[in-house]
Amino acid sequence: MELVEKINRLKKEKNAVILAHNYQIPEVQDIADYVGDSLGLSIQASKTTADVIVFCGVYFMAETAKILSPEKIVLIPDEKAGCPMADMITAEELRKLKAEHPKAKALCYVNTTAEVKAECDVCCTSGNAEKIVRDVFREDDEIIFVPDQYLAHYIATRTGHDFILWKGFCPTHVKILPEDITAKRALYKNAEVLVHPECPAGVTSLADKVLSTEGMCRYIKESKATEFIIGTEIGILHRLKKENPGKLFHPVSERATCPNMKLTTLEKVLWSMEEMGFEVTVPPDIMNKAGTCLRRMIDYKP
Ligand code: SF4
């Protein structure tokens, strides 16, 4: 409690806002001003009037907040909280791929570094990827889609558009297996199965719905169903239970835990605000180019 009080006091003193991703630990979600997915958090970062953004998530998300709010101080409580998927492609590797496909447009998942975003035409999240592919690109456009091969595969099945892929993946979502879904369906016969598009095709093909984390939150709130099997990082169950007290939730797999998302603790949030660390910075030329790519995405909220 003392920790929470100190954080709240500092928040007022420093005119700070705390943004937390849906995969953060429950205590961190509970002290946040806003909890959401990458798209929702990007929008919050772009319109906040706070002077300081404390970003409880992984590094590329805090970097995105800085690019969208360059005049604000953006802090990440643990600078080692990275995203292995985002680190699976470098700007150099993307430039090489673009040189091999000179006519192709480049689309990047938001789970990329600022340097990679700076090389791309437009960015997307799992929540708006389908809409962006349909609205921004023509049928015959060649599209490089990096880094998540599974999200790209899922969007290809939805839109009929082929992509030039990168073989990246989320090490947490690949732990969700088709047999986990079969086992949970046998246990909870009336439950609907919702999975994230970062899961491999063998998993998404078995689900009732494939949704981003924000899509899951929206769908569950509006659904008449009362029991759900959730195929994404298990941190989201805290928010789902809090927002839907009458409904039941089961994770597809307890192994779907992202160690990077769990690095942020209340103590680290407090230290971050006390010491104003770790401040996220982005070089100006990268900031400009990555900003153009990100702002095109913000315009395509589904
Ligand atoms: S859950 Fe996967 S995509 Fe999300 S931060 Fe962790 S490793 Fe990256």
Side-chain angles (χ1 to χ4, degrees):
M1 201 52 208
E2 207 195 324
L3 269 178
V4 174
E5 276 165 17
K6 283 184 183 167
I7 290 170
N8 284 333
R9 203 179 60 230
L10 278 172
K11 223 164 63 171
K12 274 200 199 120
E13 277 173 31
K14 308 212 170 190
N15 189 24
V17 66
I18 300 180
L19 306 182
H21 191 269
N22 287 321
Y23 299 159
Q24 290 289 292
I25 60 170
E27 306 87 279
V28 170
Q29 291 191 32
D30 290 344
I31 45 113
D33 297 288
Y34 181 86
V35 180
D37 66 356
S38 301
L39 178 60
L41 295 171
S42 305
I43 292 165
Q44 289 298 321
S46 69
K47 65 182 195 196
T48 181
T49 54
D51 297 318
V52 178
I53 298 172
V54 183
F55 206 107
C56 304
V58 290
Y59 201 84
F60 78 81
M61 296 176 178
E63 209 174 44
T64 300
K66 181 66 188 176
I67 295 165
L68 292 170
S69 295
E71 73 291 354
K72 314 237 182 274
I73 295 172
V74 177
L75 305 175
I76 185 162
D78 189 321
E79 64 180 346
K80 293 195 192 72
C83 168
M85 183 208 279
D87 294 334
M88 284 180 192
I89 186 162
T90 63
E92 187 53 46
E93 287 168 324
L94 178 55
R95 279 194 289 272
K96 195 163 170 274
L97 189 63
K98 283 168 62 176
E100 287 162 14
H101 303 276
K103 290 197 182 125
K105 309 255 168 64
L107 169 66
C108 62
Y109 191 21
V110 70
N111 298 37
T112 41
T113 61
E115 287 82 4
V116 166
K117 287 184 182 80
E119 293 291 330
C120 290
D121 296 291
V122 62
C123 184
C124 69
T125 69
S126 53
N128 62 14
E130 183 178 337
K131 188 161 169 52
I132 284 181
V133 169
R134 288 189 199 280
D135 289 0
V136 177
F137 299 101
R138 290 198 317 264
E139 257 173 45
D140 57 348
D141 275 339
E142 250 189 297
I143 308 174
I144 293 172
F145 192 169
V146 297
D148 186 2
Q149 60 181 305
Y150 297 118
L151 175 65
H153 173 83
Y154 176 69
I155 300 302
T157 62
R158 298 283 305 168
T159 59
H161 218 308
D162 277 339
F163 299 114
I164 299 155
L165 294 178
W166 192 254
K167 292 280 183 186
F169 61 91
C170 164
T172 298
H173 283 84
V174 295
K175 289 191 184 139
I176 298 174
L177 305 174
E179 48 268 41
D180 295 328
I181 296 200
T182 315
K184 287 286 159 79
R185 271 202 198 275
L187 268 179
Y188 309 110
K189 295 196 170 46
N190 297 320
E192 275 190 46
V193 177
L194 314 183
V195 306
H196 194 276
E198 284 174 21
C199 294
V203 170
T204 51
S205 62
L206 292 177
D208 296 313
K209 290 264 181 292
V210 180
L211 295 164
S212 66
T213 53
E214 211 51 41
M216 287 183 191
C217 294
R218 236 185 346 255
Y219 176 80
I220 289 166
K221 248 188 209 163
E222 289 163 8
S223 171
K224 288 204 172 62
T226 56
E227 194 170 3
F228 301 89
I229 296 167
I230 304 296
T232 188
E233 210 279 348
I234 60 168
I236 197 172
L237 272 87
H238 176 68
R239 179 172 165 198
L240 293 176
K241 287 175 186 166
K242 212 167 146 181
E243 290 182 351
N244 305 277
K247 300 188 178 185
L248 282 176
F249 301 97
H250 315 285
V252 171
S253 170
E254 297 282 355
R255 283 174 303 166
T257 302
C258 175
N260 308 286
M261 282 285 183
K262 307 307 181 204
L263 285 174
T264 308
T265 59
L266 279 186
E267 285 83 354
K268 289 182 193 171
V269 173
L270 177 64
W271 298 334
S272 171
M273 294 172 89
E274 281 175 345
E275 293 159 22
M276 295 302 280
F278 301 90
E279 188 170 350
V280 176
T281 55
V282 181
D285 54 325
I286 300 290
M287 178 93 91
N288 284 341
K289 290 187 201 155
T292 306
C293 168
L294 273 164
R295 273 185 287 275
R296 282 192 194 126
M297 172 185 82
I298 301 279
D299 293 341
Y300 285 91
K301 186 171 182 288

